[in-house]
Amino acid sequence: VEELARMVEELGAEKVIFDNPLRTLQNYNLAKATKIEVIDRFQLILELFRHRATTTEAQFQIQLAVLQNELKHARQKVRLSKGSEQPGFMGLGAYEADVYRDAIKLQVQTIRKKLAHIRGKRVLQRERRTELGFLTVSLAGYTSSGKSTLFNALTEETARVDKSLFTTLSTQTRMIEFSNRKFLLTDTVGFIDRLPISLIEAFHSTLEETIYSDLIILVLDLNEPLEVIERKNHVCQDTINRLGASGIPVITVLNKIDRLTPEDAQQKLEAIQSKIQNPLLISAKKHTNLDELKRQIVRMLEN
C-alpha cells in the first residue's frame, strides 16, 4: 500500500483502478493511504455504462445497478465515513445507517416500477410482432466485436459504431427483408468477461430480447489472437446459457476478415471450428459474405 501511495504521488495519478472486487474497508483504507479515488472493476464498468447510456431505460438500469451496489456496502460506509470523509465515500457522516439504507431501498423500488412499465411496453411490442408472424433474429457477442457494424450492413441503418466498449446499451430492432421474407433484426448490449451478476439482472429487460429471438447471430472478432477469441467465445456461450437462451439456434459469424489474409482466417477457423456453432467468415465493414449469411438465416429459420 505504501508503494502504491508513492506511485500515485510520483505519477500524479487521479484515480486507482483495481481489476478485482474491493471490499468497503479495503476501498476505504486504500483511498485514505493514496488520498485519491480508488475504484474496482465493477465500478469502472458502471462508469463506462453511465457514460454510454443514452436511452431512459439504460439510464434507469444503470441507476438500479449503482443503488443495489450501494445497498450492499451502505452500513459499513456510514460507519467508516463518520470517522472522516474519504474520496469516493460521498461524505456520509450525517447519515445513520438505517436511514441511509431505507432511502436507497425507496429509490430502488421507484426505479423498478419505472422499468417494469417500460418492460410491459416491450412485452406488448413482442406479442404484436408474434401475432403478425415476424421471426426475430438477435445479434449477440462480446463488446466491440462489430455487432452494430453488422446491424448497419444488414439493415442499411446508421446505428452508432465506435471502437470503445459498450457503444450499444439498449436494443434496436429494425425490419430486414431478403429472399422475399421479412425478419426483425435486434442489436443487443455486448457481453463482457466476469460481468457482475447484478449488472446482468439490471440489464435483463434489454438482454431478454436475446431469449425471445428465433435465431442468434453470435459475432466474434477474428482479428484477435486465437486464445482471446476462444476466451470471448466461452464468455458469450456462458452468458447466453445464464440468460436461458441456450436452446435457440446460433450462427457464429467470425468478423473482421478484411484485416487478415485468407490463409490466416482459414487457419483460425480450423482451430476453433469444433468449439463454435455454424461458423461463417465475414467482414461487416466490407460486406464480405453477407449474402451467404442471409442465405443461412433463411435456411435456419425455415427449419
Side-chain angles (χ1 to χ4, degrees), residues 95-159:
Y95 283 97
E96 287 298 331
D98 291 339
V99 175
Y100 183 54
R101 281 173 63 86
D102 288 346
I104 294 173
K105 283 178 180 174
L106 194 63
Q107 285 178 279
V108 166
Q109 284 174 357
T110 306
I111 290 170
R112 281 194 189 280
K113 281 178 188 170
K114 289 175 180 175
L115 281 171
H117 180 66
I118 295 169
R119 196 171 183 177
K121 282 184 182 175
R122 199 194 293 280
V123 170
L124 287 173
Q125 285 174 344
R126 208 160 37 230
E127 286 172 354
R128 180 74 181 132
R129 289 173 200 160
T130 307
E131 282 170 20
L132 294 169
F134 289 124
L135 293 171
T136 307
V137 180
S138 284
L139 292 174
Y142 208 86
T143 184
S144 299
S145 59
K147 294 187 305 302
S148 295
T149 306
L150 181 57
F151 180 82
N152 290 342
L154 290 171
T155 61
E156 296 173 7
E157 286 273 335
T158 52

Side-chain angles (χ1 to χ4, degrees), residues 10 26 78 85 100 102 137 145 232 271 285 287 289 295:
E10 286 165 13
Q26 291 174 318
V78 170
E85 291 178 17
Y100 183 54
D102 288 346
V137 180
S145 59
K232 289 186 176 180
K285 189 178 178 182
H287 292 210
N289 283 350
R295 279 193 288 273

Side-chain angles (χ1 to χ4, degrees), residues 52-276:
R52 294 284 179 201
T54 51
T55 66
T56 307
E57 184 183 17
Q59 287 164 356
F60 280 147
Q61 285 169 328
I62 289 154
Q63 282 177 38
L64 182 61
V66 169
L67 289 167
Q68 285 175 326
N69 186 52
E70 195 63 28
L71 202 55
K72 280 195 297 185
H73 306 291
R75 201 174 293 280
Q76 196 168 15
K77 276 194 175 186
V78 170
R79 187 175 61 76
L80 288 168
S81 64
K82 280 187 174 181
S84 60
E85 291 178 17
Q86 296 298 335
F89 280 81
M90 300 180 292
L92 298 175
Y95 283 97
E96 287 298 331
D98 291 339
V99 175
Y100 183 54
R101 281 173 63 86
D102 288 346
I104 294 173
K105 283 178 180 174
L106 194 63
Q107 285 178 279
V108 166
Q109 284 174 357
T110 306
I111 290 170
R112 281 194 189 280
K113 281 178 188 170
K114 289 175 180 175
L115 281 171
H117 180 66
I118 295 169
R119 196 171 183 177
K121 282 184 182 175
R122 199 194 293 280
V123 170
L124 287 173
Q125 285 174 344
R126 208 160 37 230
E127 286 172 354
R128 180 74 181 132
R129 289 173 200 160
T130 307
E131 282 170 20
L132 294 169
F134 289 124
L135 293 171
T136 307
V137 180
S138 284
L139 292 174
Y142 208 86
T143 184
S144 299
S145 59
K147 294 187 305 302
S148 295
T149 306
L150 181 57
F151 180 82
N152 290 342
L154 290 171
T155 61
E156 296 173 7
E157 286 273 335
T158 52
R160 188 178 170 202
V161 174
D162 200 318
K163 288 180 182 175
S164 305
L165 301 175
F166 309 115
T167 308
T168 305
L169 275 188
S170 51
T171 59
Q172 301 182 80
T173 301
R174 297 288 182 274
M175 179 87 74
I176 54 173
E177 186 176 355
F178 41 83
S179 302
N180 297 319
R181 297 282 301 276
K182 287 181 179 178
F183 310 101
L184 293 169
L185 182 69
T186 301
D187 189 14
T188 60
V189 63
F191 303 150
I192 187 170
D193 194 9
R194 292 179 289 141
L195 183 67
I197 194 74
S198 57
L199 275 179
I200 285 189
E201 285 166 6
F203 276 84
H204 196 272
S205 57
T206 306
L207 291 166
E208 75 177 4
E209 290 294 315
T210 312
I211 305 169
Y212 292 106
S213 58
D214 299 289
L215 174 68
I216 295 170
I217 298 175
L218 182 58
V219 186
L220 296 175
D221 181 351
L222 198 65
N223 189 41
E224 295 183 304
L226 199 56
E227 61 273 15
V228 175
I229 299 168
E230 288 179 359
R231 178 176 62 80
K232 289 186 176 180
N233 177 54
H234 177 73
V235 169
C236 293
Q237 299 285 0
D238 187 50
T239 308
I240 287 169
N241 290 340
R242 282 162 79 185
L243 287 169
S246 54
I248 299 167
V250 174
I251 296 172
T252 308
V253 295
L254 303 166
N255 191 24
K256 306 187 185 180
I257 60 168
D258 52 294
R259 298 185 183 180
L260 295 160
T261 64
E263 294 76 22
D264 283 347
Q266 197 59 40
Q267 206 173 352
K268 283 185 175 179
L269 171 61
E270 286 168 11
I272 60 166
Q273 200 155 12
S274 61
K275 296 170 185 171
I276 56 178

